[in-house]
């Protein structure tokens, strides 16, 4: 049971933004610009960052749904998402993306954990200012979303099929659900 | 030195919001609704939530700025100083103590918010919207604090800067100044 009176049977953040669309519209707008807006990081890479940070925050709803969206974007049969979530160091992704995910992991702990060395490594592997900025802001944003979703104890589905469907919908974009659905 | 190239006359969050205006827009809009929009929590009370969370996250820029805003709104500086030290003995209502405790737990992790602290807030008269907004303000400042420190933004060289900033967020709010921030060049470091 959620801590507050959100619509029955609606999962995760969806139930919270339906409870309070005044704030929800801006939360969805932020997710849309961060994860779907113009960037030299692919949408798949950005969804992977969202899933990675959410997993580290142990937010089952956000990590499962963003992992599903990332799997959709990487394509059927691609093991990148699960490899990264299982063991970032051993995963077979580009060194640049790995260095950015390492920065995201530090941000998840606390802003102060990110050191000049972490930035130098990413930059040495070709990361731009904008990519470093977007990585930090995605990680910071999911440190917010995860706390919002779990702090109010919103409904977390346990059926993997539900997340698969959610992932497909998320790939289409982050659109505020109608108030009365 | 910040980790990315930001305008040197804009310390802390202010340089980041100008660096990336497309992401700044929803962050500003969300903050404006949560901290300045219609609410049964006063603006001073909402700034106290921002202050307690920023302090817990050791974010010097945000803590100093929101302490200054809370002080300006309350017309005194004792309350903000006290809530940072010990919520239970601070001169705030039982309802605010309960909400600030929820904010503190949210800062640690969403999973740290207990049934007991929610029940305590409800018994003290907190509404669902007040509990919702408390959790979301706390979560939002977990974003801000990580954004500001994660990119190594600089602190203002002059402490008076915080007074100017508090004045802006109290009397103007969190939306972007229509004229931008170029007028601050040279006199606000």
């Amino acid at each position: 049971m959620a801590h507050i009176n959100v619509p029955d049977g609606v999962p995760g953040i969806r139930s919270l933004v339906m409870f309070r669309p005044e704030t929800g519209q801006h939360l969805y707008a932020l997710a849309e610009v961060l994860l779907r807006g113009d960037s030299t990081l692919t949408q798949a890479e950005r969804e992977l960052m969202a899933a990675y940070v959410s997993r580290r925050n142990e937010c089952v709803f956000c990590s499962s749904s963003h992992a599903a969206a990332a799997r959709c974007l990487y394509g059927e049969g691609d093991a990148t998402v699960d490899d990264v979530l299982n063991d970032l160091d051993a995963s077979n992704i580009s060194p640049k993306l790995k260095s950015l995910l390492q920065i995201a992991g530090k941000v998840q702990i606390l802003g102060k954990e990110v050191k000049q060395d972490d930035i130098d490594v990413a930059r040495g592997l070709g990361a731009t200012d904008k990519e470093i900025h977007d990585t930090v802001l995605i990680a910071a944003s999911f440190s917010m979303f995860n706390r919002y979703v779990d702090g109010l104890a919103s409904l977390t589905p346990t059926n993997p099929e539900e997340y698969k469907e959610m992932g497909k919908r998320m790939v289409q974009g982050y659109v505020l659900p109608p108030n009365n659905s | 030195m910040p980790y990315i190239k930001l305008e040197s006359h804009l310390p802390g969050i202010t340089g980041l919001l100008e660096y990336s205006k497309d992401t700044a827009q929803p962050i500003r809009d969300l903050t404006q609704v949560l901290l300045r929009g219609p609410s049964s929590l006063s603006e001073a009370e909402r700034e106290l939530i921002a202050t307690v969370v920023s302090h817990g996250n050791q974010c010097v820029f945000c803590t100093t700025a929101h302490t200054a805003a809370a002080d300006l709104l309350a017309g005194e500086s004792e309350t903000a100083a006290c809530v940072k030290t010990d919520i239970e003995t601070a001169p705030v209502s039982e309802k605010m103590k309960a909400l600030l405790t929820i904010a503190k737990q949210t800062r640690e992790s969403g999973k740290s918010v207990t049934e007991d602290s929610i029940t305590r807030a409800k018994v003290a008269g907190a509404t669902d919207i007040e509990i919702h907004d408390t959790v979301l303000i706390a979560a939002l400042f977990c974003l801000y604090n990580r954004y500001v420190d994660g990119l190594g933004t600089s602190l203002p060289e002059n402490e008076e800067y915080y007074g100017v900033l508090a004045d802006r967020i109290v009397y103007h709010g969190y939306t972007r100044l229509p004229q931008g921030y170029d007028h601050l060049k040279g006199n606000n470091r």
Side-chain angles (χ1 to χ4, degrees):
Chain A
M1 261 268 288
H3 290 319
I4 57 174
N5 191 21
V6 299
D8 248 357
V10 181
I13 191 160
R14 202 173 164 86
S15 70
L16 304 177
V17 302
M18 287 169 69
F19 174 82
R20 192 100 157 96
E22 299 89 338
T23 47
Q25 58 178 324
H26 305 305
L27 289 167
Y28 273 50
L30 177 61
E32 176 71 18
V33 65
L34 275 178
L35 303 178
R36 298 288 171 272
D38 282 341
S39 173
T40 50
L41 298 171
T42 66
Q43 295 189 17
E45 289 169 338
R46 287 177 276 163
E47 287 287 355
L48 179 59
M49 287 177 181
Y52 178 69
V53 169
S54 302
R55 174 66 74 89
R56 289 175 60 98
N57 278 327
E58 298 173 51
C59 181
V60 174
F61 178 81
C62 297
S63 60
S64 306
S65 56
H66 289 281
R71 283 187 202 103
C72 266
L73 289 159
Y74 272 106
E76 196 72 38
D78 188 298
T80 304
V81 177
D82 295 285
D83 286 351
V84 166
L85 293 182
N86 287 334
D87 184 353
L88 174 62
D89 288 334
S91 68
N92 190 25
I93 54 172
S94 74
K96 182 179 99 174
L97 181 58
K98 201 176 281 188
S99 71
L100 291 174
L101 283 164
Q102 268 148 359
I103 291 172
K106 297 260 183 113
V107 172
Q108 181 268 328
I109 302 170
L110 206 60
K112 287 186 172 309
E113 292 293 316
V114 182
K115 306 294 184 199
Q116 185 67 54
D117 282 356
D118 303 311
I119 304 294
D120 292 344
V121 168
R123 221 186 276 285
L125 293 165
T128 63
D129 267 21
K130 180 76 164 75
E131 288 169 342
I132 292 168
H133 168 274
D134 289 356
T135 298
V136 170
L137 185 52
I138 289 170
S141 296
F142 280 84
S143 296
M144 168 181 70
F145 287 124
N146 300 160
R147 282 171 172 79
Y148 184 40
V149 163
D150 282 340
L152 289 166
S154 65
L155 175 66
T156 300
T158 51
N159 181 353
E161 284 305 310
E162 272 193 61
Y163 290 106
K164 228 173 159 175
E165 287 310 308
M166 246 181 258
K168 283 183 202 161
R169 194 172 63 205
M170 288 154 73
V171 169
Q172 305 303 313
Y174 292 93
V175 183
L176 196 70
N179 233 343
N180 53 359
S181 77
Chain B
M1 275 285 283
Y3 296 151
I4 59 175
K5 198 166 164 22
L6 302 171
E7 292 207 64
S8 61
H9 70 293
L10 298 174
I13 189 67
T14 61
L16 293 172
L17 296 175
E18 285 299 283
Y19 174 83
S20 178
K21 294 194 190 73
D22 59 344
T23 49
Q25 188 67 49
I27 296 173
R28 284 183 179 281
D29 291 343
L30 176 62
T31 312
Q32 181 69 16
V33 172
L34 274 175
L35 296 190
R36 296 290 177 270
S39 171
S40 45
L41 297 174
S42 71
E43 293 182 12
E45 287 171 331
R46 289 177 274 168
E47 289 288 350
L48 284 182
I49 298 171
T51 301
V52 162
V53 170
S54 300
H55 181 251
N57 281 330
Q58 303 164 45
C59 183
V60 174
F61 182 86
C62 297
T63 306
T64 315
H66 292 280
T67 300
D71 290 352
L72 182 58
L73 285 159
E76 45 89 5
S77 56
E78 191 201 344
T79 307
C82 288
V83 294
K84 283 185 279 186
T85 315
D86 180 14
I87 292 168
E88 295 307 326
T89 57
V92 294
S93 66
E94 166 63 15
K95 184 177 87 176
M96 268 312 287
K97 285 180 190 176
L99 292 175
L100 288 168
T101 301
I102 290 171
K104 210 172 153 179
Q105 292 173 339
T106 302
R107 186 200 70 78
E108 290 168 16
S109 165
K111 295 193 175 307
S112 298
V113 178
T114 61
E115 285 284 353
D116 283 355
S117 55
I118 298 288
T119 303
R120 179 187 177 193
K122 287 183 179 175
V123 168
T127 65
D128 276 14
I129 288 188
E130 287 172 344
I131 292 170
H132 168 278
D133 287 5
T134 297
V135 170
L136 187 49
I137 291 169
L140 173 61
F141 279 84
C142 287
L143 177 160
Y144 273 127
N145 302 156
R146 281 170 171 77
Y147 192 23
V148 165
D149 285 340
L151 286 165
T153 62
S154 49
L155 294 172
E157 285 171 12
N158 186 339
E159 284 283 316
E160 283 163 27
Y161 178 90
Y162 293 111
V164 174
L165 184 57
D167 197 76
R168 191 193 311 153
I169 59 185
V170 167
Y171 297 109
H172 168 77
Y174 288 96
T175 54
R176 187 173 188 268
L177 288 179
Q179 71 272 34
Y181 299 88
D182 282 352
H183 64 289
L184 298 176
K185 275 182 187 159
N187 66 358
N188 247 332
R189 297 289 309 277

